[in-house]
Amino acid sequence: MTFDLNSAPIVFLAWERGLDLPEDSLLSELRNGRHSHPVESNELTFLRLWDQSILTGPPHLLAAAEKYDDDELSDHSTMLRLTKLDGGRGLGTQALYYADDLELHQPEHTVHVSTGDAEAAALESLCPPDDVNDVDLTHRQHKFTVMDSGEPDAGPLACSAYAEYQGLVAQLGTLVAPDSRRQGLGRLATSIAAHEALAAGLIVQWRADINNAAAHQLAVSAGFSVAGLLTRISLQNRQTRHK
């Protein structure tokens, strides 16, 4: 695992901006405990990072959440019960992993990598729709696709791509062709994209559903450190009222 906690303030700053929290609200309160931020939103979000937790959403839901501890709010079912009258629809609970430095492993053979959109799209056409939607290569601007050769008609094997988040963090995702899985290609593509992001001065972030054992294994094998959980609930009734 390669994450120095001295880099944690950068991660907190990225989330502070991403969740539209008051300036320095997390960085000035690096302490144990929960930070609640009321916002008129169509979503209730609970974030746990190291020894802090952040809850954002409509004021009445934040008040109702006071009776629950952090472990309970990390439970997707608790959040659904809490938002039942608001038409809560679960968006899942994801584990969060970070890396600010990774050991460089040189592959034993030549690796052909494409940074084009077409090769990533070709890979998506080979994969199940759920996997494609989960990784969402299309909206990750920086793509690194491992190809089966250096020839013009080469086919894609795996792609790892990242999108910048708040100019501080690289949100990474990896997709592997079904026939190429369990061969270490996901780890290879992830390592390539992660090192490119680190070279750009970004901290690498990996998000994976807590029930996705393969994604967890890939994150750990690539050298990421687990840092927390993110649980999100969409508030359907509020969306209807705001239309």
Side-chain angles (χ1 to χ4, degrees):
M1 304 297 179
T2 49
F3 186 83
D4 187 336
L5 284 178
N6 289 325
S7 297
I10 299 175
V11 176
F12 280 117
L13 178 58
W15 280 107
E16 182 180 281
R17 293 175 178 176
L19 294 174
D20 198 25
L21 300 177
E23 186 176 356
D24 292 333
S25 60
L26 296 183
L27 295 177
S28 63
E29 298 180 19
L30 287 176
R31 50 163 175 70
N32 294 330
R34 183 186 303 169
H35 177 90
S36 294
H37 178 58
V39 57
E40 293 299 335
S41 170
N42 296 328
E43 187 171 302
L44 181 67
T45 301
F46 184 60
L47 172 67
R48 297 184 74 174
L49 279 176
W50 294 290
D51 59 357
Q52 285 205 73
S53 59
I54 304 99
L55 182 66
T56 68
H60 72 284
L61 291 178
L62 268 57
E66 291 180 358
K67 63 181 180 181
Y68 297 103
D69 61 29
D70 286 356
D71 288 339
E72 291 173 312
L73 289 180
S74 295
D75 187 331
H76 204 239
S77 61
T78 300
M79 293 278 276
L80 285 174
R81 289 196 303 270
L82 185 63
T83 58
K84 183 178 180 179
L85 296 180
D86 292 81
R89 181 174 66 85
L91 299 177
T93 297
Q94 296 176 313
L96 301 174
Y97 307 79
Y98 293 94
D100 62 356
D101 185 32
L102 289 172
E103 185 177 352
L104 181 62
H105 296 282
Q106 293 290 350
E108 297 179 357
H109 53 82
T110 301
V111 178
H112 302 280
V113 178
S114 169
T115 57
D117 291 336
E119 290 77 10
L123 175 64
E124 289 183 317
S125 71
L126 302 174
C127 298
D130 285 349
D131 293 349
V132 172
N133 293 333
D134 185 45
V135 178
D136 194 18
L137 292 177
T138 301
H139 293 97
R140 300 181 194 268
Q141 300 91 335
H142 307 277
K143 303 177 179 68
F144 305 88
T145 305
V146 178
M147 310 297 289
D148 61 12
S149 75
E151 301 300 321
D153 61 348
L157 301 175
C159 179
S160 190
Y162 73 85
E164 291 190 22
Y165 181 63
Q166 303 300 324
L168 299 168
V169 168
Q171 298 196 100
L172 199 67
T174 299
L175 187 66
V176 183
D179 292 342
S180 301
R181 295 177 183 180
R182 299 184 181 277
Q183 300 177 34
L185 292 168
R187 178 182 176 184
L188 174 61
T190 300
S191 177
I192 292 170
H195 278 98
E196 291 290 338
L198 291 171
L202 303 169
I203 287 178
V204 182
Q205 175 180 274
W206 180 272
R207 290 164 56 166
D209 188 275
I210 57 172
N211 296 313
N212 191 333
H216 171 78
Q217 184 178 8
L218 178 55
V220 172
S221 67
F224 299 121
S225 298
V226 64
L229 294 170
L230 175 67
T231 303
R232 298 166 55 231
I233 302 292
S234 173
L235 307 175
Q236 301 296 300
N237 288 354
R238 291 182 64 83
Q239 292 180 8
T240 300
R241 289 200 296 269
H242 291 166
K243 286 183 178 179

